[in-house]
Amino acid sequence: CINSCAAFVGPWANLDACPTCGEPRYDQKWLEWSHGRSARSMRYGNERTQQIFDEIHRNDGFIDAYDDILTGSAYLDAVRVGRIKPGDMVLMISIDGAQLYESKMSDCWMYIWIIVDHSPERLRHYKKKHVLPEGVIPGLN
């Protein structure tokens, strides 16, 4: 729900409106893809992927510069075999330990998702609204 009342999953997966406040269901991916500058930015992944495959074809299987996550072999192989399709949103996970108390080993791990479909121009990947905090994993202590 746009008001954060509910998530449209499980028993609410097929609802068209929030069961709490009545707001109509919306699709965040559709909003990103359909509005002005964010739509242009979200198209970056598809457009850049096509440019990379064109470059590989022209250069006998080589890429001139590895300058973005989209030029990495894991991503390109996933596209090549169809695990990532045009229009799919691509996320990157980042995880790191955190020491919450002085003189103590890391006692929890935090992780975030980063939306990589946006152009890296001006580090758009790492703008606050494209970095999604996901969770904390408690340590062994």
Side-chain angles (χ1 to χ4, degrees):
C1 173
I2 198 164
N3 295 319
S4 301
C5 301
F8 293 98
V9 297
W12 296 336
N14 296 320
L15 295 180
D16 293 325
C18 177
T20 303
C21 71
E23 281 290 328
R25 180 179 186 157
Y26 78 101
D27 180 351
Q28 181 66 37
K29 184 176 174 183
W30 177 84
L31 288 174
E32 288 276 347
W33 276 87
S34 64
H35 289 86
R37 194 168 64 187
S38 70
R40 284 189 300 280
S41 181
M42 288 293 288
R43 285 193 296 269
Y44 167 79
N46 286 331
E47 292 169 358
R48 180 68 179 123
T49 300
Q50 186 58 55
Q51 291 170 356
I52 293 165
F53 279 113
D54 292 346
E55 183 178 325
I56 289 170
H57 181 73
R58 281 191 316 272
N59 294 340
D60 296 321
F62 294 98
I63 297 173
D64 291 331
Y66 293 87
D67 58 359
D68 188 10
I69 189 172
L70 301 181
T71 56
S73 61
Y75 171 77
L76 294 173
D77 289 345
V79 171
R80 191 176 293 117
V81 299
R83 285 194 312 264
I84 298 175
K85 297 171 183 59
D88 284 353
M89 183 176 283
V90 178
L91 301 172
M92 175 175 61
I93 190 169
S94 178
I95 187 167
D96 198 1
Q99 180 181 331
L100 300 179
Y101 302 100
E102 189 176 339
S103 303
K104 188 173 181 185
M105 297 293 287
S106 294
D107 58 1
C108 73
W109 292 82
M110 293 175 269
Y111 61 104
I112 60 174
W113 295 107
I114 300 166
I115 302 172
V116 299
D117 295 272
H118 294 284
S119 169
E121 177 183 307
R122 293 178 285 166
L123 298 175
R124 189 171 300 277
H125 288 334
Y126 300 102
K127 295 289 185 184
K128 183 175 161 183
K129 68 180 181 177
H130 306 303
V131 176
L132 312 171
E134 182 59 29
V136 175
I137 303 167
L140 300 175
N141 302 348

